[in-house]
Structure formats: C-alpha cells, structure tokens
Amino acid sequence: MEEREMILRDHLALDRTKLANQRTLLAFVRTSLYLVVSGIAVIKVDFLDKIRFLGFILVGISLIVLILGIWNYFHFRKKMMNQYRQE
C-alpha cells in the first residue's frame, strides 16, 4: 500500500472538522449551562414551589447533556484521528 501525503486542501478540511467538533462541544456546554441555570431558578423561586421537582429534573438533564457532549467530542475526535492515520 502506498501512503498518500496530505495536501493543503486535506489539512484545511481537517482543521475545519476539528473546529466544528469544538464548536459542537461548546454548544453542548452552553445548553447544559442554560438548563442548570433554569433549574436552579425554578428551585429557588418561592412561588414556583409546586413545580420545584421540575428544577431538579432540569439540573439532572443538564448533567446528562454535558456528559453526552463530552463523550461526543472525544468519540468523534478519536474517530477522526483514526481515519486520517489510515490514509
């Protein structure tokens, strides 16, 4: 098998893909922060005590979103690196 050298276009595509993956991670983090802030607000506001359980659910969902975002980032990064090593 001959090993193909990456040309400039391939390097630029790889950089765009890395940046897109980082942007996606930041979107997951931002969403998680919005959810945790909303959850804490629902928990702390006195006249929303009838739906206080919703605040705890939002905080839990925010943790799940954060974990999924981090997992997605590292999974795609590993997949991308394996793809470019094979070529």
Side-chain angles (χ1 to χ4, degrees):
M1 283 188 215
E2 73 180 53
E3 190 168 319
R4 184 173 77 92
E5 197 172 313
M6 287 179 54
I7 60 174
L8 177 62
R9 182 181 61 218
D10 295 334
H11 284 286
L12 293 174
L14 181 60
D15 287 341
R16 279 192 308 271
T17 306
K18 285 179 183 177
L19 290 172
N21 194 26
Q22 291 172 357
R23 189 171 53 243
T24 303
L25 173 64
L26 292 175
F28 273 102
V29 170
R30 182 181 60 229
T31 302
S32 177
L33 286 173
Y34 287 154
L35 287 169
V36 81
V37 167
S38 300
I40 290 172
V42 169
I43 292 169
K44 292 293 182 181
V45 175
D46 289 334
F47 66 87
L48 295 176
D49 59 347
K50 292 182 181 178
I51 59 169
R52 184 164 287 166
F53 70 93
L54 183 62
F56 292 109
I57 291 173
L58 288 173
V59 171
I61 290 173
S62 74
L63 291 174
I64 292 170
V65 168
L66 183 62
I67 291 168
L68 282 174
I70 293 170
W71 179 83
N72 181 46
Y73 173 78
F74 285 110
H75 176 74
F76 188 75
R77 182 177 170 207
K78 180 180 173 186
K79 187 177 177 182
M80 186 175 54
M81 292 311 215
N82 287 339
Q83 178 69 29
Y84 278 98
R85 279 191 207 134
Q86 289 177 354
E87 293 182 358

